[in-house]
Structure formats: structure tokens, C-alpha cells
Amino acid sequence: MINRSSLPMEIARHILLLAGAAIILLPFLYMVSVSFKAPYEIIDNSGGFFGAQIPMLDELCSITAKDVADCMMMPALHNYYKALIENPLPRYLFNGIVVTASIFFIQVIIALPCAYALAKLKFWGRDFVFAMVLFCLLVPVHAIGIPLYLMLAKIGLLNSYAALVIPWTISVFGIFLMRQFFMTVPDDLVDAARMDGMSEFTIVWRVMAPTAVPALIAFAIFSVVAHWNDYFWPRIVVTSNQNLFTPPLGIREFRNGIDGNQFGPLMATATIIVIPMVVAFLLAQRRFIEGITLSGMK
Amino acid sequence: MTVALATQLPAPPSSPAASPKFSPASMKKRRVEAATTPWMFAGPAVFLMVIILIVPILLALYLSFTNYSLGVIDFEWIGFQNYERIFTRSSFSKMFTATFIYVGVVVPGSIIMGLLAALAINSLTIGRGFYQTIYFLPVMATLVAMAIVWELALHPSIGIINRFFEASCSVPILSDFLAMEWVPFVDSATTFFGHGCATGFPNWLGDRTTALPVLCFIGIWQAVGFNMVLYMAGLTSVPRELYQAAEMDGVISPWSRFWLVTWPMLGPTNVFVITITAIRSFQSFDTIEALTRGGPSKSTYVMMYALYEKGIKQNLIGMAAAITIIFLIFVFLLTMAQRYFVERKVHYS
């Protein structure tokens, strides 16, 4: 290192960074801890991190079951059971996966050929198309949410998967990124493929796409994280049909209708929604940081 | 031209031109393909850019001069009335106040914290990956879910934050420390903590004076890791020789080394981080919609929430369109500023 720092300085840095880390981790730890606890433990903050796990009575179950003993459950189990079985959370997760995956695949199908054309083909209007890409990079899709909502309403698409996906089918950023990447691919590779009699279509998907895998992975992470976590857009276009809720809408809905006894299941829901991204991040950290900060690497 | 010529010449038997793939017929097919394929490739993207990004801007511009509502057949051209309302009515002046306070706190807050974290982590000998992972977690996590967790943590009676403060009131040394008993000339009864111990700690999200600061705090909490990573990338691009050269010139203290070498070299990173953080915080919506819905008494009524409330909840599309246009103007101004600074060669290399 440049500044070969003294031990006291190193310790001071660790203390500061640990203090920051504690604040950053606080809501995560609190969320997981509450998701394990019984209602009374949440209210008086007892039971340590994991709660005492003294079996508790499931009220809903006790109405129908013959024997109360059948309805005794460990609080942690009870909370996750409530979150997953008695709420449509699996449905929300499914919607989240469908929407995020569709968005990503359509983005690639649309952006990759366009990026190839911009990088490797000479055609009338190319500069104009690229100027348009550069202009559209400035437009935040959320900001034009109201006119988009209106257009979707006019063609009767509100409350549909299509409404959740359509505005994101075009990723100008994806085009830009892929174009920059394809510029670095040598022309010889494309020429050789043409010599072999490949059609331009085959060149895009069989020659260019494989060379772009690292960029595609980074873009995938960028896109998937953004749309899995997106709240604004689903909030706007899904107004009535709860079957179309994505996980962020789902937890918001759950939070709206709860009484004080359900903080455990609520936090279990939050944990389940947050965990896929966090685990994926922990497994492939470097790729994730690369992907998320992609827009910073222009 | 050269291709056409080549096909007319008697080709040597081994040349690729003699192979069936290069027969005149296939060359012609290829030329036709060469003219149409680029647009087959770029066409769908161009079409979608126009429909999804450009038409809505024009539509918003048009609607912003009308009193359009969804489902109402008659609507009129009302000129600048929507804009006039936005710049005169008190609810909109509250919108601008909340938005600018939010952006004005979150941008410098998350940038300074991000830069400090990056500098501190960068000069560590052990544990760099550890801190980087932790600081980056909030960037990954679903913001609306984490907002709901913060809401519970900030709950006035059962939330862990107020419970922690209340418990600390009866711990002698800790309470003296938090109440700033140790700071000369400060009356410990009037500090946040001392006051809270006596009269109770705030209802964070339900109080007009604390709701916006709390949202700013969550905004910073979420953005620090992102900025930290950008700064870490910026720091690695500072040439090491510069530090050595500075050292030879007698720049020894870390403080002056930072201001003379690191800071100027971070120019491009700074411009980028400021712009992107500003644009992102202008767009913040999730925490506000989930936790305060613009309240109490419009103290957290930021632009994206106003857009949603006017356009979707109250069906005042014309008004929402006017807010959209003002919003887009802010974004364009920010980007123009970024371009200007980039062109002024903020990087001194």
C-alpha cells in the first residue's frame, strides 16, 4: 500500500468502519431476529437474537382444529409458515421471477442485434440511431411513468404481465453497453464468419453473443436486481389484481393490513424477499458489484 | 464495387471466390441482405425507443397544457395553468422544499460517507473484502422491504431504536455520554438524548420535524455502498507514481496528500457520482410511499410521490404531466452540468 499506515491508524479505521457496519447491518439483523420471535418477545424485546422458541398457539388453526395441541408451533416456524402458506407470497415470488426474467430476455433480444448493427455494420441512418440512443440514455423511465401509464390504460393493458414488462423491453443502456463492447471485438472475427457463409443473424447469436458473455452477465445482474427490487412501476400499473403483485407490492400490501401480532410474519416475508439477492450477492460478489455499478463505468 | 469486380475476374481455382458461396447469385443476395439487415437489427430497438421513451415525453408535454383526466371525455387546453399552480400553490412549494432538502441532504451525505468509507477501506491491510460486502448490502436489498423493517425499528413504542435509547437513560456512563454531559457549555437537558430521557423519544415517522430527516437517513444508508464502490474504482485509477512524486516534493501528511493528489485525481469520479446520486435521489419514491405517503403535513411530499399522487391516485393527469416535465428539466439540467464539467477536463491527467 501507498500509505503504509501505523498500527494505531489501522485500528482507528477499523473502529470507524465497524461502527458504520453496525448501522448498516442493524435493519438486516433486526429483520432476521424479529422473524424468529413470538409476538410478546417482539413487543418487549426479549428472547435474545433467536427468541426463546417456546411453542405458541396458532390462533387461526385453533378455530378449526380438534386438539389445541396440534396448533402449537415454534415461533420461527409459525412466522415463516404464515408468510409462505397463509399469504400468497409464493405467488408474488413467482410473479417476480416471471417479470424479471421476461424483462431481461426481451432486453437482450432487442438490444444485442441493435448494438451489433451500431458497432459492426455500416448503414444509412446509423449515426442518427446512435444519437437517439445517447439521448434516450438521459430519460429515466420512472419519470415518464404517467404518460406510459396512460398509454397502457388506453390500450387496456393495465393489470397485466404485459404492463409490468413492456416499458422495460427497451434498455438503451444495454444497447450502449453492448455497442461499446462489440466495438472492441476485431472486425476480422466478423469477416471470417462471413467468409464461412454465416448469415448476419447467425453472426449475432453464434459469434458475437458468446464473446460478450462477461458483459451480458454484468448486464443481467444490473437488470435483474433493478427489476426484482422495483416498486414504483408495479405500484402504478397493478392497481386491482392481487394475483399480479410482485414481491415489493406483496410486502407493502401485507404491511398495510396487519395488526401488532403479525410483525413476526411481516419480517419473515421481508427476509424471504430480500434473501435471494443477498445470497446471490454473497456468492458472486465481484460480479455483482461490477454489474450494479455498471452505469458508473461508462 | 471491389466485390462486384472480383466476381467478373477469372479467379484462380483455389481462391475463395471460386467456392459456391461466392457465386454471383449469392453475392447479390448478400448485398441485398447488407442493405436490409442493419435496419432489421436496429429497427425493433428504434421502434421501442420511439414508443416507450420519446412519445411519452411529447405526450406529457402536450397533456401538461390540458386538464386531462383518465376516463373523462372532455378536456381542454388550459395553457400554463398547471405550471402556474405548481409554482404558486403552497402544497407544491412544500413539494419543492421536501425534494430539495431530501436531495440536498442525501447527495452530500452519501457522497462524503461513501468517499470516507472508500478511503478508509482502501488503506486497510486486512478486512477490505469484509467491509466492502457489508457496505454494499443495502444496495442489493429490496428497498421497500427494508423500509418496512426501518419502520418497525423506528416504531415509537416497540421499535428497537427507541427501546435502546430508553434503556440507555438508566445506564449512568452511557447516558451521560449520549446526553453530551462531557461537552463543555452544553446543557445536557436540552440535547436530543437528555430531552428524550425526560419527555420521551420521538415518534420518528409521525412527527413533522423528524419524518424527512429519517427518510434522508434511510436514503443515505442505502446509497453509501454504491458511492463507496465507485470511489474505490476511482481510487485505483490514481497512478501510484503521483504519490511517490508528491512524497519526494515533501507532501508527507495524509491530509495534504489527499488534497493535493487524491482529490484532484478523483475529479471525473466526483462529477459522475454527484450526477448519478442526484438523479437517483430526485427519483426516490419507495421509502416515502411505504412509510409516510408524503406526510405528516406534506413534510415529505417529494416530487416522485407528488407525481404518483396527482396522476394515479387523484387522476389529475394534466397536473402530473406538468410535474413530469419539470422533473425531466431537472434531470436534463443535471446531465448538462455533468457534461459541462467533464468537458472542462476535471481530470488533470
Side-chain angles (χ1 to χ4, degrees):
Chain A
M1 272 320 294
I2 309 123
N3 22 0
R4 215 163 283 104
S5 53
S6 55
L7 190 62
M9 279 301 281
E10 173 97 3
I11 291 171
R13 283 197 198 95
H14 276 291
I15 291 173
L16 281 176
L17 286 169
L18 280 173
I23 295 172
I24 285 173
L25 285 180
L26 170 80
F28 291 100
L29 298 175
Y30 189 54
M31 168 178 85
V32 174
S33 169
V34 170
S35 80
F36 290 147
K37 288 187 177 184
Y40 73 91
E41 288 169 326
I42 297 168
I43 286 171
D44 42 65
N45 253 322
S46 57
F49 185 81
F50 292 102
Q53 301 301 340
I54 299 161
M56 58 181 269
L57 185 69
D58 183 346
E59 282 163 26
L60 211 69
C61 161
S62 64
I63 301 169
T64 50
K66 289 176 199 143
D67 190 357
V68 177
D70 292 344
C71 296
M72 298 302 279
M73 248 182 174
M74 267 161 69
L77 217 61
H78 169 263
N79 291 341
Y80 283 89
Y81 179 81
K82 283 263 176 196
L84 278 168
I85 312 292
E86 288 181 12
N87 280 293
L89 182 59
R91 172 78 203 216
Y92 302 155
L93 295 170
F94 172 76
N95 290 341
I97 294 168
V98 169
V99 168
T100 353
S102 322
I103 289 176
F104 172 66
F105 283 114
I106 299 176
Q107 281 178 337
V108 171
I109 290 169
I110 302 282
L112 216 62
C114 180
Y116 170 72
L118 286 173
K120 292 288 174 217
L121 301 176
K122 290 193 176 64
F123 62 99
W124 179 84
R126 185 174 77 170
D127 293 342
F128 174 75
V129 174
F130 191 56
M132 201 159 137
V133 168
L134 290 181
F135 171 79
C136 288
L137 269 177
L138 301 183
V139 182
V141 180
H142 282 167
I144 52 171
I146 299 296
L148 278 172
Y149 159 83
L150 187 68
M151 289 160 73
L152 289 166
K154 282 290 171 196
I155 51 174
L157 277 181
L158 291 185
N159 295 305
S160 67
Y161 279 125
L164 289 165
V165 173
I166 286 174
W168 308 104
T169 51
I170 179 79
S171 170
V172 189
F173 179 64
I175 297 177
F176 180 77
L177 182 83
M178 287 300 157
R179 184 237 178 215
Q180 300 304 86
F181 189 86
F182 287 157
M183 294 294 274
T184 65
V185 175
D187 284 340
D188 290 350
L189 186 68
V190 182
D191 289 338
R194 285 186 190 138
M195 289 287 191
D196 285 347
M198 284 190 179
S199 71
E200 294 293 321
F201 183 84
T202 327
I203 294 177
V204 173
W205 296 109
R206 289 286 169 75
V207 179
M208 297 306 265
T211 65
V213 166
L216 276 174
I217 291 178
F219 178 66
I221 289 169
F222 174 83
S223 166
V224 166
V225 171
H227 296 110
W228 178 265
N229 291 338
D230 188 19
Y231 177 63
F232 180 79
W233 190 250
R235 169 93 285 164
I236 282 192
V237 291
V238 180
T239 48
S240 54
N241 188 351
Q242 206 163 334
N243 281 330
L244 288 170
F245 276 13
T246 57
L249 285 185
I251 189 169
R252 178 71 179 81
E253 184 70 13
F254 187 12
R255 136 81 178 63
N256 243 8
I258 61 164
D259 59 51
N261 279 335
Q262 288 176 306
F263 286 126
L266 181 69
M267 290 299 117
T269 308
T271 310
I272 294 167
I273 292 174
V274 168
I275 264 187
M277 289 298 144
V278 170
V279 168
F281 166 63
L282 294 178
L283 290 178
Q285 244 192 84
R286 189 170 293 172
R287 288 223 181 263
F288 266 75
I289 292 179
E290 227 172 72
I292 307 286
T293 53
L294 211 54
S295 49
M297 304 307 166
K298 279 183 208 169
Chain B
M1 259 339 261
T2 49
V3 176
L5 263 175
T7 53
Q8 284 156 14
L9 292 171
S14 65
S15 115
S19 77
K21 282 166 195 161
F22 280 76
S23 68
S26 87
M27 286 318 297
K28 191 180 173 195
K29 189 181 152 216
R30 190 167 276 282
R31 274 207 307 279
V32 173
E33 203 181 47
T36 53
T37 5
W39 274 101
M40 275 171 56
F41 284 173
V46 170
F47 173 76
L48 288 174
M49 269 191 273
V50 171
I51 297 291
I52 292 172
L53 299 169
I54 294 173
V55 167
I57 297 179
L58 301 174
L59 186 63
L61 187 64
Y62 169 69
L63 291 171
S64 71
F65 295 108
T66 68
N67 58 1
Y68 187 87
S69 288
L70 197 60
V72 181
I73 298 151
D74 290 330
F75 66 98
E76 289 165 2
W77 182 269
I78 55 168
F80 280 91
Q81 272 184 42
N82 287 325
Y83 291 97
E84 207 181 301
R85 274 182 210 148
I86 290 175
F87 288 108
T88 52
R89 286 212 182 151
S90 76
S91 67
F92 288 110
S93 84
K94 281 177 183 155
M95 171 183 87
F96 287 120
T97 314
T99 310
F100 287 124
I101 292 177
Y102 186 87
V103 175
V105 171
V106 172
V107 172
S110 64
I111 288 178
I112 293 169
M113 305 281 271
L115 178 59
L116 286 178
L119 286 169
I121 291 174
N122 217 27
S123 49
L124 286 179
T125 36
I126 50 159
R128 297 163 124 229
F130 171 76
Y131 292 114
Q132 193 171 329
T133 310
I134 292 178
Y135 280 65
F136 204 70
L137 273 181
V139 185
M140 302 294 315
T142 310
L143 185 55
V144 71
M146 296 317 291
I148 288 168
V149 176
W150 274 114
E151 184 185 33
L152 180 59
L154 291 160
H155 191 287
S157 55
I158 69 168
I160 192 168
I161 291 171
N162 278 6
R163 296 303 287 265
F164 170 76
F165 283 138
E166 281 156 18
S168 320
C169 287
S170 50
V171 182
I173 300 170
L174 187 61
S175 72
D176 287 350
F177 175 77
L178 288 173
M180 296 201 257
E181 189 73 62
W182 48 283
V183 183
F185 309 115
V186 169
D187 180 4
S188 62
T190 60
T191 59
F192 163 76
F193 186 78
H195 185 73
C197 280
T199 59
F201 287 96
N203 174 7
W204 297 100
L205 290 162
D207 189 318
R208 189 154 53 103
T209 55
T210 50
L212 189 56
V214 165
L215 290 173
C216 291
F217 171 80
I218 300 177
I220 294 174
W221 169 83
Q222 207 247 344
V224 165
F226 186 81
N227 292 343
M228 171 204 74
V229 167
L230 293 181
Y231 274 119
M232 287 186 74
L235 286 173
T236 53
S237 68
V238 181
R240 207 165 270 205
E241 306 85 69
L242 275 182
Y243 289 106
Q244 286 155 359
E247 205 165 6
M248 281 184 195
D249 285 350
V251 179
I252 293 167
S253 83
W255 183 253
S256 45
R257 191 174 50 212
F258 174 77
W259 287 113
L260 288 169
V261 183
T262 316
W263 181 249
M265 289 306 291
L266 283 177
T269 315
N270 279 330
V271 172
F272 179 76
V273 173
I274 292 170
T275 327
I276 197 164
T277 316
I279 291 176
R280 282 162 154 247
S281 29
F282 261 116
Q283 288 189 68
S284 59
F285 169 81
D286 303 12
T287 49
I288 292 108
E289 201 279 338
L291 303 188
T292 63
R293 299 182 176 199
S297 49
K298 296 231 187 275
S299 60
T300 61
Y301 194 59
V302 298
M303 276 184 105
M304 273 314 253
Y305 187 75
L307 200 69
Y308 166 74
E309 194 195 67
K310 292 292 165 201
I312 310 294
K313 286 170 89 179
Q314 302 177 355
N315 194 12
L316 299 170
I317 303 275
M319 184 59 96
I323 303 174
T324 302
I325 295 299
I326 295 173
F327 192 97
L328 287 175
I329 291 173
F330 281 141
V331 173
F332 284 112
L333 286 179
L334 276 169
T335 323
M336 288 304 128
Q338 180 194 17
R339 296 257 162 98
Y340 171 77
F341 282 114
V342 169
E343 266 154 35
R344 256 188 35 187
K345 296 222 175 26
V346 265
H347 39 92
Y348 294 71
S349 53

